[in-house]
Amino acid sequence: MVDLVEGLAALFKQAYEKGVEEGRRQPLIKHEMLTRKQLKERFGISPDSFDKYYRSIDGFPTYQEGSNQKYYEPAVHEWLMNHQQ
């Protein structure tokens, strides 16, 4: 019986440590609307590079807010993950 309890304890510890490790690998994505200038802070995409490579691509997630375009951070993150080369 002691062996069973010790085995279960080791199994739970291993599962916990694996969960913590996977959680650390998850990027911290906030649920915010970003300007193209803020994309540099969050994703390392300069405004000039954004304008040249991303802004005009069909399907890139944008939202029109008045006269300003905004970009929903989780949608941009997902788009970038799905369009890696």
Side-chain angles (χ1 to χ4, degrees), residues 18-82:
K18 184 177 180 184
V20 168
E21 181 182 327
E22 288 177 7
R24 287 184 180 144
R25 284 186 269 158
Q26 295 294 321
L28 180 61
I29 301 297
K30 299 176 182 176
H31 294 272
E32 295 180 12
M33 299 300 290
L34 305 175
T35 64
R36 60 190 261 285
K37 291 179 182 178
Q38 290 172 310
L39 291 172
K40 178 164 178 55
E41 298 167 15
R42 302 289 171 80
F43 297 103
I45 303 170
S46 72
D48 291 338
S49 292
F50 176 75
D51 291 343
K52 186 174 180 180
Y53 299 110
Y54 297 99
R55 183 177 237 169
S56 61
I57 292 177
D58 285 337
F60 190 84
T62 65
Y63 174 77
Q64 193 71 30
E65 191 173 88
S67 62
N68 299 320
Q69 280 191 330
K70 298 276 185 147
Y71 308 91
Y72 186 53
E73 187 170 359
V76 172
H77 177 261
E78 183 177 338
W79 189 92
L80 290 171
M81 295 301 290
N82 291 333

Side-chain angles (χ1 to χ4, degrees), residues 1-18:
M1 184 70 168
V2 172
D3 290 340
L4 176 63
V5 171
E6 288 176 357
L8 286 174
L11 181 65
F12 289 135
K13 181 179 178 184
Q14 181 182 10
Y16 171 78
E17 289 172 352
K18 184 177 180 184

